[in-house]
Amino acid sequence: MSQITRIDYILPEKILTNEDLSGRFPEWTAEAIEEKIGIAKRHAVCENETAKDLAVKIGRQILTEEDKESIDFLVLCTQSPDYYLPTTACILQNELGLRTDIGAFDFNLGCSGYIYGLGICKGLIEANIAQKILFITSETYTKHINSLDKSNLTIFGDAAAATIVERSETRQIMDFVLGTDGKGASNLIIPNGGLRNRYDIDAINREDNGNIRTNNDLYMNGPEIFNFTIQRIPKLVKDILDKHELTMDDVDYFIFHQANKYMLEYLKKKLKVPDEKFYINMREVGNTVSSTIPIALKDCLDDKIIKQGDLVLLAGFGVGYSWGGTVIRI
Amino acid sequence: MKREEFLKELEEVLEVDNLTETSLITLTSLQILAVIVFVDENYDKQLSANELRGIRSVADLMSLIGVAF
């Protein structure tokens, strides 16, 4: 059986505030951004800083509290690798000074990535492949966003989180429900830069609802993603509860991917979750993709919003479309 | 929901005044989200965001929702 024994996260130093955004896009006011989206500021990496660099920083930070030699697997979730190859986790293993007789790999998922990562870690432990895993989520969507794309600049922030998952005597990471629907692939995509469409130095600006971007940049059809979420996630929650033979009342707390306040408020209402059992807080960090759930977990633990013994339902959803959920015992 | 009630609710959803069936509207991204929520809650119907982008009047929206008012 497996459990989470430590979580930590890191935010890049550079900050983009709502005042900065309303200065660049005068049609938006700082107050309106915060009221509608629930975000006051977001952090962004510098030009020469990558998701790998953030992963190294958070890896070093969490390893100050751990015996480095005891880590026998490294898993990295990122959609912003340094190179096509080698896999970033190999570089990370070396920079963190981890043992060489351990497994290490990346996987490419966004907002569902933390759930999948927990599932992977649980699988590795229960198959007796690993005993103690360093699982890092690290994402830098700001690198993919056009400087004139006010919608995406407003929503996304960069961050990295590290989670130690290890073998335990009690079952603390429970069962998983996962889902995929590639029909939504084109609704959240960076069209150029892969092998299907190479990065195009002459890519032309496109206007989309007042946002300017090229095909080299991140594109998100926000309303369609919203539609997918409000249709899919209530069913995901029901499936998670059914799989664990739980009712809504049995769950002490709900932590969903912190996409945006508007979406979370509506999901909370639709699922009839009381305010005191539902986490909404992305004010200081924005949507940090695969790191929103570990950031929320760490903040909830530090602020004693969740405590030992609580049953917490986690759900992640987004780019792909890809979604997943699980229940953990704190 | 009666026609008058619908128009009144829609004014709140879109944060605009004096809507009639013939009012011309082009929805912003946030208004599209608000309409999706409004229709999901009141009509248990899921509207496509791409269709909502195409509407030009309140009448278009009413016909997209597709219920008798």
Side-chain angles (χ1 to χ4, degrees), chain B:
Chain B
M1 195 182 292
K2 293 271 190 321
R3 183 176 304 252
E4 293 71 31
E5 198 188 341
F6 171 81
L7 289 172
K8 213 164 181 47
E9 293 265 350
L10 190 61
E11 285 174 4
E12 276 185 37
V13 168
L14 302 182
E15 298 178 356
V16 295
D17 295 322
N18 304 321
L19 282 182
T20 67
E21 221 172 302
T22 54
S23 300
L24 297 178
I25 49 171
T26 307
L27 302 177
T28 65
S29 290
L30 282 174
Q31 284 174 324
I32 288 175
L33 301 191
V35 171
I36 287 172
V37 164
F38 172 63
V39 175
D40 186 60
E41 272 189 305
N42 291 284
Y43 302 99
D44 194 22
K45 229 178 144 149
Q46 287 75 44
L47 294 185
S48 136
N50 291 338
E51 282 178 318
L52 284 170
R53 278 188 209 283
I55 66 162
R56 292 290 170 260
S57 67
V58 171
D60 286 351
L61 177 59
M62 290 166 88
S63 109
L64 202 57
I65 297 171
V67 290
F69 288 93

Side-chain angles (χ1 to χ4, degrees), chain A residues 209 221 224 227 266 269-270, chain B residues 15 34 40-41 47 49 53:
Chain A
N209 275 5
N221 185 338
E224 276 305 337
N227 235 340
Y266 187 57
K269 187 175 178 191
K270 203 166 164 154
Chain B
E15 298 178 356
D40 186 60
E41 272 189 305
L47 294 185
R53 278 188 209 283

Side-chain angles (χ1 to χ4, degrees), chain A residues 77-194:
Chain A
C77 173
T78 190
Q79 300 190 299
S80 306
D82 276 14
Y83 311 105
Y84 281 125
L85 57 101
T87 195
T88 309
C90 295
I91 302 168
L92 193 55
Q93 172 274 333
N94 184 47
E95 293 201 25
L96 292 176
L98 295 174
R99 286 162 33 194
T100 54
D101 62 339
I102 68 170
F105 68 90
D106 298 2
F107 68 97
N108 176 329
L109 280 174
C111 306
S112 61
Y114 192 70
I115 304 297
Y116 272 73
L118 289 183
I120 290 166
C121 292
K122 178 178 164 153
L124 289 168
I125 288 169
E126 298 192 5
N128 207 23
I129 294 168
Q131 308 292 316
K132 187 171 183 179
I133 301 171
L134 172 57
F135 165 39
I136 295 179
T137 52
S138 186
E139 203 50 78
T140 58
Y141 268 26
T142 65
K143 279 191 180 294
H144 308 300
I145 299 172
N146 192 295
S147 61
L148 297 174
D149 181 350
K150 65 175 193 267
S151 293
N152 285 322
L153 282 174
T154 303
I155 290 170
F156 290 107
D158 300 334
T163 304
I164 302 287
V165 184
E166 58 187 297
R167 184 175 295 281
S168 65
E169 294 304 313
T170 53
R171 185 167 166 267
Q172 293 190 274
I173 300 176
M174 304 201 182
D175 294 331
F176 288 78
V177 176
L178 303 176
T180 307
D181 185 356
K183 280 202 290 291
S186 61
N187 288 328
L188 183 39
I189 190 168
I190 301 168
N192 291 353

Side-chain angles (χ1 to χ4, degrees), chain A residues 42-66:
Chain A
R42 62 292 287 153
H43 295 246
V45 287
C46 303
E47 184 66 32
N48 59 354
E49 193 176 27
T50 68
K52 188 272 293 174
D53 298 330
L54 287 184
V56 169
K57 279 186 187 166
I58 190 56
R60 286 185 179 146
Q61 190 168 303
I62 204 163
L63 289 173
T64 59
E65 305 287 334
E66 297 285 340

Side-chain angles (χ1 to χ4, degrees), chain A residues 279-297:
Chain A
Y279 194 70
I280 303 180
N281 187 4
M282 68 211 81
R283 189 178 181 280
E284 303 292 317
V285 295
N287 175 342
T288 58
V289 193
S290 49
S291 293
T292 68
I293 295 174
I295 289 173
L297 269 172

Side-chain angles (χ1 to χ4, degrees), chain A residues 112 114-116 118-119 173-179 233 236-237 239-241 243-244 255-256 293 312-317 322-328:
Chain A
S112 61
Y114 192 70
I115 304 297
Y116 272 73
L118 289 183
I173 300 176
M174 304 201 182
D175 294 331
F176 288 78
V177 176
L178 303 176
I233 303 316
L236 171 66
V237 171
D239 291 347
I240 298 166
L241 293 173
K243 192 161 189 176
H244 292 85
I255 297 178
F256 289 4
I293 295 174
V312 179
L313 188 149
L314 308 177
F317 40 82
S322 169
W323 62 91
T326 187
V327 175
I328 59 171

